[in-house]
Amino acid sequence: MPVITTPASSFIDGSWVEGTGETTSRVNPAAPDEVVTTYRQAGPQELNQAINAASAASRAWDRLGVVARGRILSTAAALIRDRADEIARVMTAEHGKPLAESRLEVDASADTFDYHAGSARNPVGTEYPSSHPEERILTVRRPLGIVGVITPWNFPLQIPAWKIAPALLQGNTVVWKSASHTPGVSTLLMDVLATAGVPAGVANLLLGPGSLGSELVSHPAVAGVTFTGSVPVGHHIRGIVCGRGAKLQMELGGHNASIVLPDADVDLAASSIVNAAMGSTGQKCTATRRVILVGDGHDAFLDQLRDRVAALTLGPGTDPATQIGPIISASARDEVDAAIDQAVHEGGQVLAQATLPASDGYFVAPTLLTGPTSMTICREEVFGPVATVLHADTVDEAIELANATEFGLTAAVFTSDERTARRCVTDLDAGIVKVNAPSTGSELHAPFGGMKNSTFSGPREQNSAAAAAFFTHEKTAYLRLAPEEA
Ligand code: NAD
């Protein structure tokens, strides 16, 4: 069995630490006989070490001041850019996404560190008038303390960057339980942070299973938790964290709709929707899962959609011709295939399907379905390259259909009528609504987050200027001068 020697290890108090848990291997999803890395999982003992280290490092990191912390984040951004090829190669080997997509993610992660580094010089509080002539009233922000970070594998660098960069900038220390499928990328990020000058104990990484994440969020010393992942795990975490009164931020799953009006630009709508539904092998929380056609006159659009899906090229992420890489694991492949079978069993029809490569890799054929809205796939998140075409007579009906799931992450509408576009922005239950653009993709300086079960109804922003609101406590200081001496 070929082994690509990507190192992966937990990192605690400034040192690489071999865990005391099970030995685990991560294989290349495009070639499962290749082991990308082997490591020992962290367990409760390493969790306690990490919490103790984060606690001991807290005071000095806070005292260092925000401008100095910003400089360290800026160095981290530069190091990510210097090592971009290496990080992208490991990402593609572990995750499967095409190398070009891995490169884009690495660049966006460097931008995220730069963005937060730049905000180190933003104003830190507000001054209010006082009824007392010799008094000033100021708000100040203080770090939460230890922040627990739990991340998914689908954006193994970008999502951690969204969370860790602002958490550190605001003076918190971090214990990060990263996703089990992408340990090499997490290890590289910790290496970058340590090299950039993040002091020992300030940022700690635990490579471990979901159960370790549960222990992390339950720990009484963890003052804030930021989580991105699925709805069931998110709700489990919400129960624990809210139950003990700590601060929580979550971004969860989606079941995003793209509404297409008869006046839509056909090329733009078809290319955007195929990209949003099938790109990254459909493993984006913001992926289009339902395509809702309003009224009649969609023959040209449907022809294009079918042709584009059928023409997608699958293969290993290292092949420049590959548009769609493998899915993350054998079990994920089986779940997606089972969901397609179930849809067909429930009255669905396959409108188009791409060709599978001759490979032992974990490949799923990108699939376009149609069928009754009662199909399970119309309401449950299937994390793979599958989208279902549905029909609505009116815009009202389309909006009602789009809103008819527990999720509310993103939505898109394709139309040349501004009135319809505005209506959709107002009435769609989604935290992000795109007009004439894919449901995927976001800018790191704009608020990101969902509604309904796609989020937690607390501060939603992890990647905008408002990140400071989550990663700090705001205090109000009343500063009154002592009486002057006579
Ligand atoms: P997941 O919920 O299975 O796992 C996410 C993280 O939680 C992993 O690190 C995992 O080890 C950990 N975990 C698992 N069980 C846990 C437990 N009981 N307690 C604490 N931590 C636990 O999700 P995934 O499969 O890694 O990622 C896919 C999901 O993430 C999809 O539902 C997708 O929509 C969602 N997602 C959402 C966003 C967003 O911003 N809204 C972005 C990316 C992914």
Side-chain angles (χ1 to χ4, degrees):
M1 184 179 279
V3 178
I4 308 171
T5 48
T6 294
S9 170
S10 294
F11 187 76
I12 301 170
D13 205 11
S15 300
W16 299 107
V17 172
E18 183 168 278
T20 47
E22 279 176 27
T23 299
T24 305
S25 291
R26 175 62 190 156
V27 299
N28 180 345
D33 67 334
E34 280 178 22
V35 175
V36 180
T37 192
T38 297
Y39 64 96
R40 280 192 69 181
Q41 294 187 336
Q45 184 179 323
E46 288 76 33
L47 172 65
N48 282 330
Q49 283 171 8
I51 299 274
N52 289 341
S55 171
S58 250
R59 195 176 175 81
W61 183 240
D62 175 23
R63 293 265 165 99
L64 188 63
V66 69
V67 173
R69 291 193 295 266
R71 283 196 196 102
I72 293 175
L73 296 190
S74 178
T75 307
L79 288 170
I80 291 173
R81 289 199 178 89
D82 287 349
R83 299 178 68 178
D85 285 338
E86 175 194 2
I87 301 172
R89 269 200 312 277
V90 173
M91 192 182 292
T92 291
E94 286 187 332
H95 177 289
K97 62 176 84 181
L99 209 43
E101 280 184 40
S102 295
R103 249 329 270 261
L104 284 177
E105 181 174 343
V106 174
D107 293 346
S109 306
D111 286 351
T112 302
F113 274 92
D114 264 341
Y115 169 74
H116 288 289
S119 66
R121 290 170 195 273
N122 284 353
V124 291
T126 308
E127 178 161 0
Y128 293 86
S130 167
S131 342
H132 194 287
E134 301 241 303
E135 185 174 71
R136 300 177 72 195
I137 305 175
L138 302 169
T139 58
V140 291
R141 292 203 169 273
R142 301 290 300 130
L144 301 180
I146 301 176
V147 170
V149 174
I150 303 187
T151 51
W153 45 263
N154 66 334
F155 286 96
L157 193 68
Q158 174 69 91
I159 291 176
W162 281 357
K163 295 170 183 299
I164 293 172
L168 293 181
L169 182 79
Q170 297 302 332
N172 300 285
T173 55
V174 161
V175 178
W176 173 29
K177 207 300 280 173
S178 69
S180 315
H181 289 312
T182 47
V185 174
S186 328
T187 301
L188 281 168
L189 179 55
M190 288 314 290
D191 196 36
V192 159
L193 293 177
T195 312
V198 173
V202 169
N204 305 278
L205 167 67
L206 298 174
L207 299 183
S211 55
L212 190 67
S214 198
E215 290 183 47
L216 170 62
V217 303
S218 306
H219 200 291
V222 174
V225 169
T226 173
F227 169 78
T228 295
S230 61
V231 170
V233 174
H235 286 183
H236 166 76
I237 289 175
R238 183 180 65 188
I240 296 171
V241 178
C242 294
R244 63 183 186 81
K247 221 168 166 185
L248 176 65
Q249 174 191 62
M250 300 197 299
E251 293 305 339
L252 308 178
H255 204 302
N256 316 297
S258 287
I259 297 176
V260 183
L261 277 293
D263 64 1
D265 180 306
V266 167
D267 291 353
L268 174 72
S271 62
S272 302
I273 288 173
V274 171
N275 182 343
M278 311 301 175
S280 286
T281 321
Q283 300 171 114
K284 289 182 182 175
C285 52
T286 51
T288 292
R289 308 282 180 211
R290 291 168 296 152
V291 184
I292 304 175
L293 307 181
V294 182
D296 299 319
H298 292 288
D299 291 351
F301 168 77
L302 269 174
D303 283 347
Q304 266 221 35
L305 207 59
R306 276 194 292 256
D307 291 349
R308 284 176 182 272
V309 170
L312 288 169
T313 306
L314 278 72
T318 45
D319 181 345
T322 293
Q323 292 171 293
I324 307 291
I327 204 160
I328 193 74
S329 64
S331 61
R333 176 195 59 198
D334 296 346
E335 275 172 33
V336 175
D337 285 343
I340 295 170
D341 288 349
Q342 184 181 4
V344 170
H345 183 69
E346 292 173 348
Q349 288 163 256
V350 174
L351 289 177
Q353 207 158 37
T355 307
L356 284 171
S359 158
D360 292 339
Y362 306 141
F363 288 96
V364 171
T367 301
L368 194 64
L369 294 164
T370 190
T373 54
S374 55
M375 292 185 298
T376 310
I377 206 165
C378 292
R379 56 181 188 279
E380 289 185 5
E381 186 185 41
V382 173
F383 213 55
V386 189
T388 306
V389 178
L390 303 169
H391 294 266
D393 288 335
T394 61
V395 175
D396 276 345
E397 210 182 287
I399 291 173
E400 203 179 313
L401 199 52
N403 290 344
T405 73
E406 63 171 314
F407 301 99
L409 190 53
T410 69
V413 57
F414 293 87
T415 179
S416 47
D417 179 53
E418 190 180 341
R419 196 179 293 272
T420 304
R422 286 180 182 222
R423 181 100 171 283
C424 289
V425 169
T426 309
D427 292 343
L428 284 167
D429 292 343
I432 295 172
V433 180
K434 301 274 207 76
V435 176
N436 295 320
S439 63
T440 50
S442 63
E443 297 270 350
L444 69 97
H445 48 275
F448 178 94
M451 294 168 65
K452 300 175 10 191
N453 270 348
S454 292
T455 194
F456 170 67
S457 54
R460 70 173 197 161
E461 295 87 358
Q462 60 193 342
N463 57 335
S464 70
F470 176 73
F471 289 107
T472 58
H473 293 297
E474 189 176 52
K475 297 167 81 167
T476 310
Y478 288 74
L479 302 170
R480 208 177 277 192
L481 295 178
E484 269 184 70
E485 288 191 15

